Amino acid sequence: MSDKSSSPLKIKAAKKMRDLMTTYYLEALDAARNHRQVAWITSGGPVEPLVAMDIIPVYPENHGAMIGSAKMGEDLCAKAEDMGYSGDLCAYARSDIACAVVKGGPIGGLPKPDMLICCNNICGTVLKWYEIQARYFQVPLFIFDTPVCHTGYTPEIAAYVQTQVHEYIAFLEQVTGKKMDPDKMNEVGRLSYQGQRLWQQVLNTTARKPSPMSAFDAFFFLALIVTLRGTQVAVDFYKELIDELEQRTRDGIGVVPDETFRLLWDNLPVWHQLKWLSDRFSAHKACLVADTYTSAWCSALKYIDENNFLDSMAEAYTRIYLNIGVDQMAEEVLKMIRFYDVDGLVMHSNRSCKPYSFGQMDIMQIVREKTGIPVLMIEADMVDPRSFSQSQVETRIDAFMEIVKHKAGRS
Amino acid sequence: MIFAGIDIGSNTAKAALIKDGTLMGTRVMLTGYHHLKAGTRVFGDVLVQAGLSRSDVSAIVSTGYGRASIDFADKAMTEILCHGAGAHFLNPDIRGVIDVGGQDSKAIALDDRGQVDNFAMNDKCAAGTGRFLEVMANALEVSLDRMGEVSLTADKPSKISSICTVFAESEVISMIARQEKRENIIAGIHAAAAARVGILAAKIRIQGPVMMTGGVAKNKGMKAALETQLNQPLIISPHCQETGAIGAAVLASRL
């Protein structure tokens, strides 16, 4: 751990982002009073039509991350288990289901939804999870079904998903009793595209040496591209953040003092251990410069037509990182290893997230064979601390860093 | 020059001394509650045994779960690196190490210079660790030391299907209630533990020759079950339990 004199300068934009997120949640919690509707939506779901129709999108998964970071996951997960849900169920689902009943968590529960939008491009658990919530809140549910693209995006998949885009709009028009304004939709689409492009630029800044921010910062700054995608607020914020990160690079400010080793992270963060993990790696002069998780909110940019968002959205939302084959996922990981020039890969085998964790052993072998860099697998859970042991993980990190140092020939 | 390694495990504390590439002596004792006291005592004992004093030792490396508590060590290193270095010291041909420790089991791949190339460890669950065997020994009223020889007399090993130590224990208790033969249950326990460790070896695609280290390597039944699981013979050094401490001493000589 660094002493005070060499501790890195904080990223100033963090305060502004906290304020923006507070405003966003206050607005959502006040929705009913202001005669606005609220939709709960999955993290990888097509949010732009909601924004275009002035519906406030709320993300149980982002809420789950907040619960994890606030170290409130254990109680809520245990509550869900008391309600009869299995401990093997995703901790986001468990904490959300419990929170809806007990109104717990850092903000006293999410605002009651008027509708639920469930897109299964991130996992299959969301289907049952959203069905449960639709029954609990007695609200309509729209399921946006995106088949897994194991080898590619076939014409059959394209036609199937495109049909649902139209059904989705019709569903929203019916629930709100309003027609969608195509001009407004185009504008939101453009802002979403711009926001995602800027988010990619934010992540790209960490290819610089030393890295001006780490994956731990990216886990935090991610919240806006998830929750406020398609708004001017997100676009303006990321422009400011990029300026600050560029300035840090010009001033030679790295987030890890004396950055010597650069690492890539795979899977969701361990929300309840961010600081501890960050300190553990910093103590080895290692910076987790990038991750496969936060880049999921810009990885489908190449499929989006900025000027025709609604028609290109089907492909963009279907071909995200978690909805492609393991070979293609490995290819993405290899690209990131090269782009960010990393010395090692840290994989979080996440008890909660089966689609993310399944295939990691294969990706690990592919990475070892094609790059020769050391790969560490740590077992944990993104929200439930009962599946995590600091002393065991510490030993693994220390041993892994010893191998990284040896292979990189630096210490 | 003389170098020392101290390995504070969850069950036992070990110390080793090496001089000019040869082993001078080792000591093992129970760790107990106080890591630093255990380290100080086991180190003192190994010095007395070799007729040396503290000032004769050029450098000390500590390892094991209590490694950070040994404040008089020059450096703390993980048991993964130490077991690798120790196995290479005991037999330079070794390319794979299986260490079944008190609360951890691990598989380690070594390159031809004895450097750790890759490793895998058990997850938070205790199945496949020394603790698992200890819990079962208690349930069966057999001393840990005798488990190995008892299991070698099994005619039909029982099938333990639970992967969780707690569930496996209740499974074993129900077998006792059904009056299954003790030796068969123990052989089944060894097979279940070996299957868990086998997963770790498969994860890193372990290559032979493989050495088994850690106190559990003294258990002949566990050795046999692992050999079946890995489909290759295991090399076991008389110093299997002190391999981590020996490796720590080797690494101390490179500081």
Side-chain angles (χ1 to χ4, degrees):
Chain A
M1 263 125 294
S2 56
D3 60 24
K4 268 244 159 75
S5 60
S6 65
S7 70
L9 274 174
K10 286 214 167 83
I11 298 171
K12 295 188 197 84
K15 188 193 173 300
K16 177 155 191 190
M17 204 192 90
R18 257 185 223 108
D19 293 344
L20 291 173
M21 286 303 286
T22 306
T23 308
Y24 158 74
Y25 270 109
L26 286 177
E27 197 177 77
L29 289 164
D30 259 350
R33 215 173 323 175
N34 296 320
H35 309 290
R36 293 181 67 188
Q37 289 185 302
V38 169
W40 286 14
I41 182 166
T42 51
S43 64
V47 69
E48 292 79 2
L50 296 176
V51 179
M53 295 189 76
D54 203 31
I55 301 164
I56 302 179
V58 165
Y59 295 81
E61 289 159 75
N62 175 257
H63 186 219
M66 286 163 57
I67 290 170
S69 303
K71 301 187 194 294
M72 298 172 102
E74 184 171 348
D75 283 352
L76 287 168
C77 287
K79 165 71 186 162
E81 289 158 33
D82 287 347
M83 289 162 69
Y85 293 95
S86 163
D88 288 325
L89 182 65
C90 159
Y92 277 174
R94 268 180 293 153
S95 47
D96 182 56
I97 290 167
C99 220
V101 176
V102 300
K103 295 277 171 215
I107 58 165
L110 290 176
K112 183 184 173 305
D114 297 289
M115 70 199 87
L116 302 172
I117 312 298
C118 173
C119 178
N120 61 354
N121 57 354
I122 47 162
C123 72
T125 301
V126 290
L127 293 173
K128 290 295 150 194
W129 169 6
Y130 275 60
E131 280 175 16
I132 288 161
Q133 296 298 46
R135 279 200 295 273
Y136 181 77
F137 289 107
Q138 297 283 310
V139 292
L141 163 66
F142 185 83
I143 291 173
F144 194 93
D145 181 27
T146 49
V148 180
C149 304
H150 287 293
T151 50
Y153 192 66
T154 64
E156 292 79 8
I157 294 178
Y160 175 65
V161 181
Q162 191 59 42
T163 307
Q164 294 176 76
V165 172
H166 302 306
E167 289 169 357
Y168 180 32
I169 306 298
F171 169 87
L172 295 179
E173 288 179 339
Q174 197 215 329
V175 176
T176 58
K178 288 190 298 196
K179 275 283 176 210
M180 166 172 279
D181 175 355
D183 292 337
K184 184 88 191 287
M185 182 63 232
N186 281 337
E187 178 56 19
V188 172
R190 255 192 298 278
L191 288 171
S192 172
Y193 178 82
Q194 281 178 30
Q196 292 182 59
R197 216 186 46 201
L198 289 165
W199 178 241
Q200 180 72 69
Q201 280 180 39
V202 169
L203 298 179
N204 286 353
T205 62
T206 66
R208 317 265 172 72
K209 294 175 189 174
S211 180
M213 70 164 201
S214 72
F216 295 104
D217 298 307
F219 295 151
F220 172 71
F221 288 119
L222 170 74
L224 276 200
I225 196 64
V226 176
T227 55
L228 292 171
R229 191 162 71 246
T231 67
Q232 190 68 43
V233 175
V235 169
D236 292 344
F237 176 78
Y238 287 129
K239 279 184 184 158
E240 255 187 77
L241 178 59
I242 291 166
D243 286 346
E244 189 182 345
L245 295 172
E246 297 283 3
Q247 188 58 46
R248 281 170 78 94
T249 300
R250 278 192 294 275
D251 297 343
I253 300 170
V255 67
V256 170
D258 311 319
E259 173 191 300
T260 310
F261 306 102
R262 298 164 60 82
L263 305 171
L264 178 67
W265 175 272
D266 181 54
N267 210 311
L268 278 84
V270 186
W271 290 114
H272 48 96
Q273 297 294 332
L274 291 181
K275 175 148 192 342
W276 184 81
L277 281 168
S278 169
D279 288 348
R280 283 305 328 151
F281 284 107
S282 294
H284 289 284
K285 297 179 183 171
C287 181
L288 289 164
V289 293
D291 67 281
T292 58
Y293 172 63
T294 54
S295 55
W297 280 269
C298 51
S299 62
L301 265 173
K302 53 181 176 278
Y303 307 119
I304 301 175
D305 178 351
E306 189 180 1
N307 298 311
N308 188 2
F309 190 86
L310 208 53
D311 285 336
S312 56
M313 155 178 121
E315 182 166 4
Y317 276 112
T318 306
R319 302 184 82 168
I320 69 158
Y321 184 74
L322 285 183
N323 211 39
I324 54 178
V326 169
D327 290 343
Q328 294 175 59
M329 288 168 92
E331 205 42 61
E332 293 296 323
V333 172
L334 290 170
K335 263 191 231 163
M336 293 183 83
I337 289 169
R338 287 189 289 266
F339 181 77
Y340 292 103
D341 190 24
V342 298
D343 306 296
L345 168 64
V346 181
M347 303 185 103
H348 165 206
S349 175
N350 183 354
R351 263 197 91 79
S352 267
C353 194
K354 279 78 180 177
Y356 218 138
S357 306
F358 177 81
Q360 277 182 316
M361 286 309 300
D362 291 315
I363 294 171
M364 184 188 221
Q365 289 300 344
I366 293 168
V367 166
R368 284 182 57 84
E369 277 160 24
K370 298 219 166 157
T371 70
I373 63 168
V375 185
L376 172 69
M377 179 88 76
I378 58 176
E379 282 94 8
D381 186 281
M382 58 201 185
V383 165
D384 192 340
R386 293 170 297 175
S387 300
F388 181 81
S389 159
Q390 271 191 356
S391 66
Q392 285 194 337
V393 172
E394 184 172 356
T395 297
R396 284 160 177 73
I397 290 173
D398 289 351
F400 170 71
M401 286 311 305
E402 283 161 352
I403 300 172
V404 168
K405 284 171 197 173
H406 175 72
K407 289 217 175 182
R410 302 186 291 264
S411 57
Chain B
M1 292 220 285
I2 297 162
F3 300 95
I6 301 172
D7 177 3
I8 309 294
S10 62
N11 272 338
T12 53
K14 286 80 67 174
L17 292 172
I18 60 167
K19 182 186 182 184
D20 306 327
T22 53
L23 189 61
M24 293 180 75
T26 62
R27 288 288 282 190
V28 181
M29 60 179 268
L30 288 174
T31 302
Y33 179 73
H34 204 291
H35 289 167
L36 178 57
K37 270 189 194 157
T40 308
R41 241 186 83 192
V42 78
F43 179 50
D45 284 1
V46 81
L47 287 174
V48 168
Q49 183 183 281
L52 295 169
S53 67
R54 273 283 285 276
S55 55
D56 296 321
V57 177
S58 303
I60 307 168
V61 162
S62 63
T63 187
Y65 265 92
R67 62 185 180 276
S69 311
I70 307 306
D71 55 8
F72 58 87
D74 295 283
K75 196 171 180 188
M77 295 174 104
T78 65
E79 49 272 37
I80 293 151
L81 232 69
C82 292
H83 274 270
H88 183 76
F89 175 87
L90 293 168
N91 182 341
D93 295 331
I94 296 298
R95 293 291 173 273
V97 180
I98 301 277
D99 169 48
V100 182
Q103 63 172 348
D104 257 337
S105 45
K106 42 197 159 290
I108 305 166
L110 300 179
D111 66 17
D112 51 11
R113 287 169 302 156
Q115 291 289 345
V116 174
D117 185 51
N118 199 4
F119 68 92
M121 289 171 88
N122 64 304
D123 54 26
K124 199 174 173 185
C125 158
T129 68
R131 184 73 67 206
F132 175 80
L133 298 176
E134 209 175 298
V135 169
M136 300 307 157
N138 276 336
L140 287 159
E141 293 184 336
V142 178
S143 76
L144 203 53
D145 301 338
R146 285 197 57 240
M147 273 183 106
E149 52 181 289
V150 171
S151 72
L152 294 179
T153 62
D155 52 14
K156 189 169 169 285
S158 309
K159 174 98 186 99
I160 314 275
S161 54
S162 299
I163 54 165
C164 159
T165 303
V166 177
F167 291 161
E169 188 184 11
S170 49
E171 206 176 332
V172 163
I173 288 167
S174 65
M175 286 173 181
I176 296 171
R178 287 201 303 270
Q179 294 184 323
E180 283 193 35
K181 283 190 204 160
R182 190 187 305 224
E183 56 268 31
N184 287 346
I185 300 176
I186 297 175
I189 288 163
H190 288 149
R196 293 289 286 186
V197 178
I199 293 169
L200 302 178
K203 271 190 185 174
I204 61 161
R205 302 188 176 173
I206 207 158
Q207 305 287 321
V210 179
M211 177 178 272
M212 184 177 175
T213 64
V216 178
K218 291 180 189 164
N219 176 330
K220 291 190 176 74
M222 190 62 195
K223 172 180 184 268
L226 263 171
E227 285 179 330
T228 308
Q229 183 70 35
L230 300 179
N231 202 21
Q232 60 178 315
L234 292 173
I235 294 164
I236 292 177
S237 155
H239 296 292
C240 60
Q241 193 171 12
E242 306 99 270
T243 309
I246 293 168
V250 171
L251 294 173
S253 73
R254 296 184 196 153
L255 285 181

